[in-house]
Amino acid sequence: MLTVTAANAEKHFGEENPALSYEITGFVNGEDKTVLTKQPTIAVDSEFPEKELPVGSYVVKVGGGEAENYTFVY
């Protein structure tokens, strides 16, 4: 089982949007992200386009990863 966790990010007024990232843990037998058949996607959960987000707090969602020998928990 792989656990995918979105990293916290902050944006201050007037700054560019921060890069969104995530960490994947739980690989075994020396494996790493190279065994993924599909990389997870990451995005801000909002009805607004990412570049037009008003001030506020948002959930960053990660999903869609695939691997032959692993299940995913987000």
Side-chain angles (χ1 to χ4, degrees):
M1 179 181 312
L2 298 177
T3 301
V4 184
T5 306
N8 290 329
E10 289 186 2
K11 175 183 175 180
H12 298 277
F13 186 79
E15 293 180 349
E16 293 291 320
N17 289 341
L20 300 177
S21 63
Y22 55 82
E23 178 182 16
I24 303 175
T25 58
F27 291 106
V28 295
N29 299 325
E31 294 181 326
D32 60 22
K33 66 181 183 177
T34 61
V35 300
L36 301 180
T37 55
K38 184 176 178 186
Q39 294 288 326
T41 58
I42 187 167
V44 174
D45 186 21
S46 172
E47 63 207 45
F48 297 96
E50 191 172 325
K51 292 195 178 229
E52 298 174 16
L53 291 174
V55 173
S57 296
Y58 298 91
V59 173
V60 176
K61 288 195 168 188
V62 183
E66 295 177 6
E68 197 170 300
N69 295 321
Y70 292 96
T71 57
F72 287 78
V73 174
Y74 298 97

